Amino acid sequence: MTKKLSVVNRRQFLRQAGISAGAGLVASHSMTQVLAANSAEQDRRLQFTKDDLPTSWVSEESAAQTTTSQAVERTCIAPSIETRLFASSNVGGSNERIQLALQRLACAGFKVDNPAITSRQYLRFAGTDSQRASDLQNIATGAIEAPKLLLGVRGGYGAVRLLPMVDWSTLGRIMQERGTILAGFSDVTAIQCALLAKGDMSSLAAPMLYSEFGKTNPDQVSCRQFSEALTNPSLAITVPDASLTSTNLPSILASGEPKTITGTIWGGNLSVVSALAGSEYLPRIRGGIVFLEDVGEQAYRIERMLYDLYLAGVFEGQQAIVFGALSGSGEDSYDKRYDVATVIRQLQQLTGLPIYSGMSFGHIGNKHSFPLGARCQISENTTGGYQLAFTDYPTIKAASVHTEGLWQSV
């Protein structure tokens, strides 16, 4: 569908979006000063946390895309999608990067009501525990009306500290009534698990404000797939092979012929999911499909976390396990043969569950956003891979989103 775009000049647009045109791209020194960056070369020197750790720098294809996008006329639409941010974890290090992300979101059609929360800081966190919890709890109490989109600022660490401070049951009910979509990944997994476990509400595994949309050159594939998952009520993702998990695995590891499986998909970042084992905040989905991804964890640490889940009985009653990217796992210093593939084969023997590898999500580029807590059907395809088809999750009208705005220079 071709969307009619209204073109406005930069100053008019930023004024409409509620962002200062004069200060929009000026770095503030009132926050931490260790992560300021406005070029790809400066970005390379950033101290990345697990929510935005890159696996590679700008490829020739990405550079060509960026050059092409800069050569065409920049267009924006009036922001109309009611959006609120929640900052549950690390502080955002660069105000310049945050302002750029806010401008891109506005250009793409997202009307952010609370950009001021991005300036909060307490220790390493994006505010005190009570401040960060209030981003969600104020919606549960009715102090703030539920928006259409709740977008995470970034991951890192800190979300687990907030779990006892939010009325997840009421928040989930209000979000269901409004059709609210909560989006994020990495450390935000703790929020997503609690929301599903106690509020029976789905969320979206997706890029976040700081970790994607504020980059010098946002990943266009990830931006397009973010928009697709937000607007397509019948999302489907095809996985060709297992390489994002391990090149030493088949796409489907199962005892006997793989069958079509349908169930609720849940999970997220392995480190966070395993930390919730035994708590009331870990979903207990009968006949579920567990999704797991991680970054920068050696094979033995991945196995230890999987054993945490196995010994806690988390895999009991599940139908399958899906692995996304397990990037940056490196080699075992004792024996190079002890790798991610060895760990996953051991898990399959322990659980007896079919394991699907190579799902295109995690701490990587070219992510495919998808709903957690939704119905998912997994079926083998004729080329040796598999497909995931999702149903029963809230969406946004496609005409409200101008996808290209998510990576344009505003």
Side-chain angles (χ1 to χ4, degrees):
M1 178 183 296
T2 302
K3 293 177 287 189
K4 184 177 180 180
L5 304 177
S6 58
V7 181
V8 296
N9 68 45
R10 180 178 182 274
R11 185 171 295 274
Q12 289 173 330
F13 172 74
L14 295 180
R15 187 181 299 115
Q16 293 172 9
I19 300 171
S20 169
L25 291 177
V26 178
S28 168
H29 295 286
S30 63
M31 297 175 60
T32 52
Q33 301 175 15
V34 295
L35 295 176
N38 65 352
S39 68
E41 183 60 34
Q42 286 175 312
D43 282 346
R44 293 173 189 239
R45 296 196 292 268
L46 291 174
Q47 295 299 308
F48 291 96
T49 54
K50 293 180 73 169
D51 63 304
D52 57 6
L53 185 68
T55 55
S56 62
W57 303 107
V58 179
S59 64
E60 292 182 5
E61 180 181 1
S62 297
Q65 288 177 338
T66 301
T67 301
T68 301
S69 67
Q70 291 175 344
V72 300
E73 184 179 30
R74 288 160 177 77
T75 56
C76 295
I77 62 175
S80 62
I81 302 167
E82 297 173 9
T83 303
R84 290 189 68 84
L85 304 175
F86 67 96
S88 58
S89 308
N90 277 19
V91 65
S94 166
N95 187 58
E96 178 185 36
R97 182 165 169 169
I98 289 169
Q99 292 299 323
L100 182 57
L102 289 170
Q103 290 180 44
R104 284 175 172 146
L105 284 173
C107 181
F110 300 92
K111 185 179 180 181
V112 177
D113 293 333
N114 62 334
I117 74 164
T118 59
S119 65
R120 297 182 321 211
Q121 182 174 1
Y122 172 72
L123 301 176
R124 62 172 289 145
F125 307 113
T128 64
D129 288 356
S130 60
Q131 285 177 321
R132 290 179 291 124
S134 71
D135 295 342
L136 302 171
Q137 179 63 5
N138 283 345
I139 296 172
T141 63
I144 294 173
E145 186 177 354
K148 187 59 183 176
L149 176 65
L150 273 167
L151 179 64
V153 173
R154 70 177 302 180
Y157 169 70
V160 70
R161 296 169 58 134
L162 314 182
L163 300 187
M165 305 174 68
V166 177
D167 181 351
W168 299 104
S169 178
T170 301
L171 179 62
R173 175 180 56 78
I174 291 174
M175 289 176 62
Q176 288 178 27
E177 293 171 355
R178 178 68 174 86
T180 300
I181 303 166
L182 183 146
F185 80 115
S186 192
D187 194 54
V188 173
T189 293
I191 303 295
Q192 295 170 310
C193 282
L195 184 61
L196 181 59
K198 301 180 75 67
D200 194 27
M201 182 61 193
S202 66
S203 60
L204 194 69
M208 295 178 286
L209 177 95
Y210 189 92
S211 54
E212 185 61 56
F213 306 125
K215 289 179 178 177
T216 302
N217 297 300
D219 172 10
Q220 293 188 23
V221 172
S222 295
C223 290
R224 290 185 186 279
Q225 295 305 319
F226 172 70
S227 177
E228 176 74 5
L230 282 176
T231 60
N232 187 350
S234 301
L235 182 71
I237 297 174
T238 298
V239 180
D241 55 55
S243 58
L244 287 177
T245 304
S246 172
T247 56
N248 297 324
L249 283 172
S251 297
I252 306 172
L253 188 62
S255 302
E257 291 295 321
K259 301 176 182 178
T260 298
I261 297 171
T262 302
T264 300
I265 190 166
W266 66 277
N269 181 260
L270 173 59
S271 298
V272 178
V273 172
S274 66
L276 296 179
S279 78
E280 60 186 297
Y281 304 106
L282 188 71
R284 290 163 174 80
I285 307 295
R286 177 169 297 197
I289 298 167
V290 186
F291 171 78
L292 299 167
E293 61 81 22
D294 218 318
V295 60
E297 300 287 1
Q298 293 185 41
Y300 82 92
R301 292 177 59 88
I302 291 171
E303 181 171 276
R304 182 163 59 194
M305 290 185 285
L306 291 171
Y307 260 95
D308 285 344
L309 299 177
Y310 169 70
L311 295 174
V314 172
F315 296 122
E316 294 177 6
Q318 302 303 295
Q319 295 190 74
I321 303 169
V322 177
F323 280 100
L326 294 175
S327 46
S329 59
E331 294 182 342
D332 186 80
S333 60
Y334 290 93
D335 193 322
K336 294 180 180 180
R337 296 171 297 178
Y338 181 59
D339 58 7
V340 165
T342 302
V343 167
I344 291 178
R345 290 182 187 278
Q346 170 72 358
L347 179 66
Q348 201 280 322
Q349 292 178 10
L350 282 172
T351 64
L353 297 175
I355 294 180
Y356 298 77
S357 296
M359 171 68 165
S360 49
F361 189 84
H363 295 71
I364 55 170
N366 300 341
K367 285 189 284 288
H368 283 64
S369 300
F370 68 97
L372 291 165
R375 297 291 289 174
C376 176
Q377 183 180 83
I378 308 179
S379 54
E380 184 182 17
N381 60 30
T382 57
T383 59
Y386 60 94
Q387 177 177 282
L388 302 97
F390 304 90
T391 55
D392 193 23
Y393 53 93
T395 56
I396 292 170
K397 292 181 179 179
S400 301
V401 183
H402 173 44
T403 305
E404 289 80 1
L406 292 172
W407 64 77
Q408 287 192 80
S409 297
V410 180

